[in-house]
Amino acid sequence: MQIPLGFGIWDLVLPIALRAVAVGEGSILRPCAVVLTLLMPETRATAYDSKIEGNVIFTRFDAALNWVRKNSLWPMPMGLACCAIELMAAAASRFDIARFGAEVMRFSPRQCDVMIVAGTVTYKMALAVKRIYEQMPEPKWVIAMGACASTGGMYRSYAVLQGIDQLLPVDVYVSGCPPRPEALIAGLMKLQEKISREHSFRNQKLELAEKLEEALA
C-alpha cells in the first residue's frame, strides 16, 4: 500500500507493509513497517509552467562570484588612531554599514577579506599590520582610511610610516583627517565597483585558465 502526500513540488510517499493478524474467526491487517520515500520532482508529470521563466538567470561565473564577494565583505578593523572612532560610527545604527553586508567585523584575520587601516601607522606597528594582512585568506583587499594611513598625514617624522601602501597593496584611499563615516562608506562602494570588474576565476586559477584557453584554441 502507498499513500501519496503532496507538499508543493515535492512528494512524499509512505509505503506501508501490512500483515494479517488473526482475530477470532477472522483477520485484520495491521501495519508492520513504514518507510518514508522522497520522490524528486522529475518523477512527476512535466508540463509548461510560465513561472519558470522568472526563476532562471543566465550570467557569467565571474559576475556571480564577484556579486557574492562584493556584498559580503568582512572587514578586519585595523584601528590605530582617531580614524578608528569614525570606523566605529560607520558600523553604528545611524550609518549602518550592514546595508552593504560589511557589518561582520572580525578580529581574527583568517575570517576577514578586507583590511581597513584606520589611523597612524608607526614603524613599531607596521610589521604587525603586515603580519595580520599575510594571515588573511585570498582574495583580500585593503582600504587606507584617512590621511595618516594614506600618506603619513601631519606626522613627517622618523617614527611614522609615510603611507601603508609602502607595505601593502592598497585598493581604495579615503581622504580626510579624520574622514567621516560617509566617506568610508563611499570608499566601500568604490571597492565594490572594483571587485565587480575583477576576473576572479582567472586570478585564482591561472593554470586551469591557461589550460582551458589552450584546449579551446
Side-chain angles (χ1 to χ4, degrees):
M1 176 186 292
Q2 289 188 345
I3 303 176
L5 303 174
F7 292 93
I9 64 171
W10 300 97
D11 282 341
L12 288 177
V13 175
L14 292 175
I16 301 178
L18 303 176
R19 65 175 179 177
V21 179
V23 177
E25 297 180 356
S27 63
I28 62 173
L29 296 178
R30 290 184 177 177
C32 62
V34 178
V35 181
L36 273 176
T37 304
L38 182 64
L39 299 183
M40 298 297 290
E42 288 78 9
T43 60
R44 301 181 59 186
T46 59
Y48 175 75
D49 186 1
S50 60
K51 295 181 179 179
I52 295 178
E53 297 178 357
N55 298 331
V56 178
I57 298 175
F58 293 92
T59 184
R60 295 181 297 107
F61 180 75
D62 274 352
L65 191 60
N66 292 337
W67 178 79
V68 173
R69 287 177 175 174
K70 76 176 186 178
N71 290 294
S72 60
L73 293 171
W74 287 17
M76 174 68 214
M78 187 55 61
L80 302 175
C82 46
C83 283
I85 304 300
E86 302 299 322
L87 173 59
M88 297 174 197
S93 58
R94 180 176 181 181
F95 301 97
D96 192 15
I97 203 174
R99 294 174 294 168
F100 303 91
E103 81 282 6
V104 190
M105 295 192 183
R106 290 290 185 264
F107 292 89
S108 172
R110 291 174 178 83
Q111 298 180 9
C112 303
D113 51 12
V114 53
M115 174 180 283
I116 302 178
V117 184
T120 309
V121 185
T122 62
Y123 282 103
K124 187 176 182 178
M125 194 65 185
L127 294 181
V129 175
K130 183 179 180 181
R131 187 181 303 115
I132 293 175
Y133 173 80
E134 291 174 348
Q135 292 176 357
M136 294 169 58
E138 293 285 350
K140 52 190 174 183
W141 303 273
V142 177
I143 295 178
M145 181 180 178
C148 291
S150 301
T151 62
M154 68 185 77
Y155 302 104
R156 305 292 179 181
S157 67
Y158 66 92
V160 176
L161 184 68
Q162 302 300 298
I164 192 60
D165 52 3
Q166 296 185 16
L167 286 180
L168 309 179
V170 177
D171 297 280
V172 176
Y173 296 89
V174 180
S175 61
C177 183
R180 285 188 52 81
E182 296 94 337
L184 176 60
I185 292 176
L188 183 65
M189 295 173 67
K190 290 293 183 181
L191 181 60
Q192 288 182 324
E193 294 177 5
K194 181 177 181 179
I195 294 173
S196 63
R197 296 191 299 266
E198 290 183 351
H199 299 284
S200 302
F201 178 77
R202 181 173 182 83
N203 293 342
Q204 288 191 261
K205 304 290 184 180
L206 290 175
E207 296 181 0
L208 180 59
E210 292 174 357
K211 291 180 180 179
L212 290 175
E213 290 179 355
E214 293 177 359
L216 293 175

